[in-house]
Structures are given as structure tokens and as C-alpha cells.
Amino acid sequence: MKRQKKRREMESKEEEERRERQRIERAERAEKRDLLRQQQQQHRNVRAERRQKIDFISSLPDCLLTHILSFLPTRDAVLTSILSSRWRTLWTLVPVLDLDQFRISRNLNFLDTVSSIWTLRNAAIPLRKFHLHWTSDCDPSYVDTLIQHTILHSRVLQDLHLCIYTTDPNPPLKVHPTLFFSTTLVVFKLEGVIHLNPPSDSSFPTLRIMEIGSGITYENCDSLPTLLAACPVLQELNLTVSDTNFFCLEANTGMLKIIVLVPTLKKLYLYWFLDDWCYTFLHYYILQLNTPALEQFYFSGLLAKDVNVGNLPNLVKSGLEFEEIENDVSTRDYAKRIWDFMGSLYNVESMEFSIETAEILCHGSIKDLPVFNNLTSLTIGGSIKTCSYMWPAVQLLLCQAPKLQTLVFELTLNVYNSYSPDNRLECRLGNWLSAQCLSSHLTACYYKGFSAHEVEMELVRQVLKEASILKTMKITFKSRLDSEIKLCARKKLRKLQRRYPTCQFEFDEGQVDF
Amino acid sequence: MASSSTSVVVSNKEKENKNTKKVTLKSSDGESFEVDESVAMESQTIKHIIEDGCANNEIPLPNVTSGILSRVIEYCKKHKEAAGESEPSVTSYTSNSTTNPLTEWDTEFVKVDQNTLFDLILAANYLDIKGLLDLTCKTVADMMKGKTPQEIRETFHIKNDYTPEEEAEVRKENQWAFE
């Protein structure tokens, strides 16, 4: 009896314990479920927040939003006024005006537009940057008032870029005298019908970049030297010399001097644009450079008689594109002048050379040519025309570059040919390339804009045949070239004889239409 | 012979110490970053703190989180390396990418989500790092260029809170822009 009772007691105890355990387990499971539900709800909340997509930009302070808008052309900045009420007046606080007539109003009156912008913008915010492209029917007196206002009221004008084209009988825009004493200007670019008369004591203590484009007229022959002498820290000069420079100058008042004596100058671009009948004006130019710090020098156009380039020991890159002369000047003398000019570039490391220049140089003598001991990269650009005799000069140039490592061809073909009735571009290449003139350091050759024409094939064939250690020949096809032509070209090229047996071919499809 | 070689070693060490003077920056979430003083001084704000002699152990930057601070330091390091001893460049004036050897690196640097981009703008402003501020602001400007107002609103999630009358008024004010 007792044992049975005890057993029943034990059993009921076990039963209770079991139930208790089950209760605890159930409670634990319920807790876990609740926790999971909570977490899922949290995740849903976060996702909802992300989907809400917060407008961060509008919460930025005014100064940062106007800084962002200062990188936009004015029209884009004005458009932001419609985004929301926060943005309504932000554009008026931007210290930049970037107005391009072509992009703003093709139908509307540009003067009215500029006037409206000028009135609506906050006059208390001085302009840091003022770009104005007014290329048709510009009203110079209105522009003059704008500039006067800008210079006189702005103590922070750093960047001024004017491209102005007026029409007769409007006079050209005369640059206001006070501008020539700006103590804040860093970038100064002018193009178009603008007249320069810098006072003799002009001073631009902070100017680093200057660009004088085509169409500019000078008051007298000293205007340009005065202007250049006023820039003690100039780093970059982009100068276009054209026949319009003479419109105000009387004949025989002396030579137009281009004297650049700027010890800090690092980059120089010189463009000489002269119409055919102006070849006589060559006699009116004096080009004198004294720019020992120059690192990049690009010259395009006609070379005057009186040229003194001085020492350019720090030159790294240069580009040359000489135009040919047709009249009185002997081509042999001209060729010699060009070689002499190139002599001052003796230290250059990379050069862009136009094939048209080579054409001129073929008329020159082959004695006493300059040597380019540091030239490691040579790019030959320009347009190959038929019946033109140019390759011997290229060979000469290659002979003068004993350490050349990279040779680049960036040539276009002028296939319109009146001499050949069946329209084939005759190949006057000959055997222009000889092993002696190809540098023993030449390891890479690039051909850009390859269209598989026989002239191009021939060029590549000759380089491959003569270059003793050419490791890479990279061909970039002219884009939009038929894929069959490309395939055929690749096969042909790979079969060509290579002097350096392990020369690798690389082919590039070419993104940019040349 | 031996003494002269040790003196060479000592002077080299001195040079090393001078060049690698460090400073510690502390982010808002308590993380510390040790950087070369010259790199930290790309920030005009930090430069003034150091020059005023207020930088004792650490420079606290309560407005910048560690995630953003590490990116800012990356930018400063890269640009300090590239600048070397040359003059401050005028790259903010020239949009010519061939003059700036870091253009590619900079382009990759700003390929981040909007949140991060705006945090970088705020940090660059607070730390007064002109190059970084110009780079990030120009990136945002490029996101706006050429887009219609509606497209800009969608890109940045801006809510149009104008009434139809107000909107018409704004359009009329600068009619020429909306043509």
C-alpha cells in the first residue's frame, strides 16, 4: 500500500515537473516569437524610411548650396528656383555669372535677358567669376556698364572671360582702364571685337592665366608688350595673333612686338592667323621670348622673320604646326628658320609634329639640324594629302631623335583628290624609313584612326620592318569602320615581317570618331 | 670610420622624425586616426588649431564621423603626395583635365551614394579643405546639369511645395530660362 502511494506520488510529481517544463518551453518559444516579430517590424520600419528618400540637399546651408550652384551655367542655376520654395532665391546669391547667348536665348532678346538677370540677382553679392559669350549683335556700351560696375564694386573678381562680337557700325568694346589694375584677377580671357589700350603702368599682380583670342585690336605697337609685362606671376598664356590686330594701327608705325619676358610662364600657346593677302605682315612682327620656366609650348601658323625664342631648358611638351608660305619668301629660307626655331626646343621630352610642317621642311637643307636628346615621344599628326612630298623630312626628324621610345601616328587621309581620276590616294611613301634613323630605343608604336588604307598599311609595314626592338604595335581603328575590314586588316597586319620577332600587336576598337 | 657612419645614421633619424610629425584626429564616434601633421594641415581648420598651439594630444572633430573622416584623410594624403613642393595649382580655374594628374583618382573618389557625398561636403566645409569642397560640390552640380527641374527633384527627392499660383509667378520672373 505504502509503495503504491509512493509510486503514485512520484508519478504525479514527475507529471508536474513535466508540465512545468512544458510551460517554460512554451513561454520561451512565445518569447522568441515576440522577439522575432519585433525585429521584423524594425526592419520594415528601416526599409520604409529608406523608401521615404530624404531630401538631404535642401538641408544644406545657403553658403554650400550657392557654392554648388556656382559650378553651373547661370541658366541652370536660375532653373533651380522652381524646385521648391527653399530654392527660390538661391540663384540670386551666387557670386558667378556664366552667360552664353547661344545656350540661353535663341529667340529672345539677349540684352533683355541679361538685364533681367542683372536686376534680379542680389547686388550685394560681388561677382567672383563673370563669363559672357555674346556672339551676335552685342551692345558694347551695355557690356561696358556691366563690366565697369563689376570692377568697381567687386573686390573679389578672379575670373573674367569675354567673348564679344558686335556688328558694324557698333564700335568695339573698349576695356575699361581700371581693369588693368585689378589686384584680384587670376584668369583673364578675351576674344572678339574688343579693343585693348593698357596704360603703361598696368599691373596684374595675381594673374595666372591669360588668353587673347582672335579679333582683338591694339591701340599701338607697345600695347601687347605692356600687357605682358604687367603679369609677374603668369603661368599660362594663350595668344592669337591675327591680321585684325592691325585694324587700328597705321601702316609703318613700327613692328608689332610680341615680347614675352615672363620668368614664371609654364605654358604658352601661340596661334598666328593670317589671311593670304597678309603675308607681307610677317615683316611687322617681332617675336621675343624669354621664358626659362616654360614646360609646354604650342605653336601654330606662320613663322615671322624676327624670332628669338631664347633658352627653354625645362621644356617637356611641345606641339608644332607650321603653315606654308606661298609668295615672296623662299621656301628654303623658311625651312631653315623653322629648323632654327625647333633648335630652341632641344630639351623637349614629347613633341606633336604636323605632317604639313614636314612638307615645308623637305625644301630645306639637311645640314646642321638640331638634335633632340631628350625626346622620348613623337606624335605625327595632320592630314596626308596626295601628291605631297613629306616623308623624307619625317625621316630627318627621326634621325635627330636618338632616344625616341614611342612613335605615334594620328593622321587623317585626305581622299578628295583631283589628280587621280579614279579617286585613289596615291602612295608617295617610297622607302622613306631606314633602319639607321629609327632610334634603337623605340619600343612602342601607336597608330590612331587606322582605316586600313594602303598608305597606312605601308607606314606600319615599314616601322615593323626597321624597328629593332619594337615591343608593341598598337592599332586603334577608326570608329564606325566595317568589322569585315577590321578583320581583314588584322590578318594582313599579323602577317607582316617584324624585325623584332616578339613584337606584340594590340588592337583597339576606337571609341572616338577621329 | 665607425664614428662617422653612426653620425650619418643619427642625422638621418633626425630627418625622419622631422618629416613624420604626427597628429591624432578623433571622430565624433570616438575613433582616433593618427596622420602626418603635413597631411592634416590640408585642412585649414586643423592648421589653425595646430598653429594656435591648441593641439595637445588629440584634435576632437565632433562634426565628423569616423567613416567620413577616414575618407577625408585618404583624400588629403593623396593630394599631399601629388602636390609635393609645387605651388598651389589653379586647377579650380581650368577645367582642363590634362593639367590635373589626379582627375581620374578624384572621379573614382566621389563615386559614392548621396548620403556620403553630402556628408563629405559638410566635412570639407567644416574642415575648410578647398580642393575637397570644390570637388564634391562640382560633383553635385554635374548631377544637376542639363536636367529638367522635375528630373532634379527626382534625383534629390526634393518636394515641390509651391502652390500653382506661386509656381506660375516663379516661371514668369525668369521666363527666359523656362523657354
Side-chain angles (χ1 to χ4, degrees), chain A residues 365-425:
Chain A
S365 98
I366 57 169
K367 283 185 268 179
D368 302 323
L369 298 180
V371 180
F372 303 99
N373 279 314
N374 281 342
L375 191 63
T376 52
S377 165
L378 176 65
T379 301
I380 309 215
S383 171
I384 309 178
K385 288 172 280 231
T386 186
C387 296
S388 45
Y389 182 70
M390 47 178 66
W391 300 104
V394 178
Q395 180 180 329
L396 275 176
L397 184 58
L398 286 169
C399 289
Q400 306 304 112
K403 306 252 176 71
L404 195 67
Q405 289 171 13
T406 307
L407 179 60
V408 182
F409 291 104
E410 241 181 284
L411 300 161
T412 53
L413 296 174
N414 186 346
V415 284
Y416 295 106
N417 168 17
S418 53
Y419 289 93
S420 194
D422 59 333
N423 248 350
R424 274 187 52 210
L425 186 68

Side-chain angles (χ1 to χ4, degrees), chain A residues 110-179:
Chain A
F110 192 57
L111 180 72
D112 289 342
T113 308
V114 177
S115 189
S116 149
I117 297 168
W118 193 266
T119 320
L120 286 176
R121 71 174 295 273
N122 192 327
I125 310 271
L127 282 180
R128 174 171 47 85
K129 173 171 142 178
F130 187 21
H131 282 209
L132 182 63
H133 283 238
W134 197 333
T135 46
S136 121
D137 289 327
C138 173
D139 180 345
S141 56
Y142 183 66
V143 176
D144 193 37
T145 44
L146 291 183
I147 295 177
Q148 270 196 57
H149 191 274
T150 306
I151 309 164
L152 295 172
H153 294 262
S154 164
R155 299 291 153 92
V156 297
L157 186 65
Q158 291 176 338
D159 186 343
L160 179 62
H161 186 164
L162 299 171
C163 178
I164 308 283
Y165 283 94
T166 62
T167 43
D168 290 327
N170 271 322
L173 174 71
K174 288 203 171 72
V175 177
H176 199 265
T178 44
L179 186 64

Side-chain angles (χ1 to χ4, degrees), chain A residues 67 75 81-83 85 267, chain B residues 93 99 134 146 153 161-162 177:
Chain A
H67 194 61
R75 179 169 179 264
S81 59
I82 202 92
L83 291 176
S85 55
K267 270 203 228 169
Chain B
Y93 301 107
T99 58
D134 284 350
R153 283 196 200 105
D161 60 350
Y162 283 124

